[in-house]
Amino acid sequence: MQLVADAITVRYGDREVLHEFSHLFRTGESVAITGPSGSGKTTLLSVLGGSLKPSSGKIGVQRDGVSEFAQPERHVAWVHQASNSLRDRTAIDNVVVGFLARGLAHGAAFGLAEELLNDVGLADRAAATASTLSGGELQRVAVARALAAGSAFVLADEPTGNLDRKTTVEISELLVSQPVARGHGVVVATHDELVAERCRHVIRLDRA
């Protein structure tokens, strides 16, 4: 599957943030979107994820050469700078919700969530409430939750912005390796070269 951006332009009033941006984002690949503040990184992710309608151009998915320019949000999961975890629930509860949303039975969802937490290095923290987890641990939960959603693409917006350098390296490697190994596509908006250099492709946006 491919996530298709076709001549995307986004304007806020008189300001043009993106100008006729086009790209095919493929499953099984990782792409970093870089550039200075105000260059449109988050705006582009929002368009790719279907939460922002472009001023002009199209966004959609392509299967077997056939493009469907509708509802890209059905095919993406998010990892944000703030983990957006349910703070009063356990790490495993936060991952289970992704499987339950897909219609899995409760027991099967917990079993798969345990496997994902092990894969992201949090097997020993599965029963810990999110409010007791460190920033790096919360982002590991966020990656696992995104994988649990089963979406073709994982979109990450400055996912290491609140982390120290050592944890940034660990989370960026995890964020790229785990989804890609499972056949997902990864698109990361970041200003951090440590994150960008771990992606297969880098797209640089310039401030309009």
Side-chain angles (χ1 to χ4, degrees):
M1 179 184 291
Q2 297 174 329
L3 189 58
V4 183
D6 183 13
I8 298 297
T9 295
V10 176
R11 301 182 186 89
Y12 295 114
D14 295 333
R15 183 179 174 227
E16 190 173 78
V17 180
L18 291 174
H19 178 71
E20 296 188 354
F21 176 89
S22 297
H23 193 78
L24 294 178
F25 298 91
R26 297 175 173 85
T27 50
E29 294 185 355
S30 55
V31 179
I33 308 295
T34 69
S37 297
S39 60
K41 298 186 298 295
T42 295
T43 296
L44 176 56
L45 276 195
S46 297
V47 172
L48 294 177
S51 60
L52 177 65
K53 184 178 179 180
S55 304
S56 62
K58 296 179 180 180
I59 183 72
V61 297
Q62 186 179 84
R63 293 192 187 100
D64 301 323
V66 178
S67 296
E68 304 169 6
F69 289 102
Q71 297 182 304
E73 63 273 14
R74 294 174 51 199
H75 304 283
V76 304
W78 285 87
V79 176
H80 294 282
Q81 182 171 336
S83 70
N84 293 341
S85 296
L86 302 171
R87 302 289 288 184
D88 61 341
R89 303 303 295 268
T90 65
I92 196 166
D93 286 339
N94 272 275
V95 180
V96 162
V97 294
F99 289 115
L100 295 179
R102 294 164 58 186
L104 271 72
H106 200 265
F110 262 87
L112 291 171
E114 287 179 335
E115 293 178 12
L116 275 182
L117 285 176
N118 181 65
D119 290 343
V120 301
L122 277 185
D124 62 339
R125 299 288 278 157
T129 57
S131 60
T132 68
L133 299 178
S134 68
E137 288 172 334
L138 286 171
Q139 289 303 72
R140 290 176 185 271
V141 171
V143 173
R145 187 175 60 232
L147 293 174
S151 301
F153 290 89
V154 175
L155 307 183
D157 189 10
E158 299 287 2
T160 62
N162 294 330
L163 306 178
D164 60 45
R165 305 310 285 167
K166 178 178 181 294
T167 309
T168 289
V169 172
E170 294 172 352
I171 296 302
S172 58
E173 290 178 347
L174 176 70
L175 177 63
V176 172
S177 65
Q178 286 291 333
V180 169
R182 290 170 165 80
H184 302 277
V186 179
V187 186
V188 186
T190 183
H191 66 277
D192 195 325
E193 291 301 321
L194 280 178
V195 179
E197 68 186 15
R198 282 160 175 78
C199 293
R200 181 173 180 180
H201 305 288
V202 177
I203 296 172
R204 180 173 178 81
L205 301 179
D206 294 319
R207 188 183 287 112

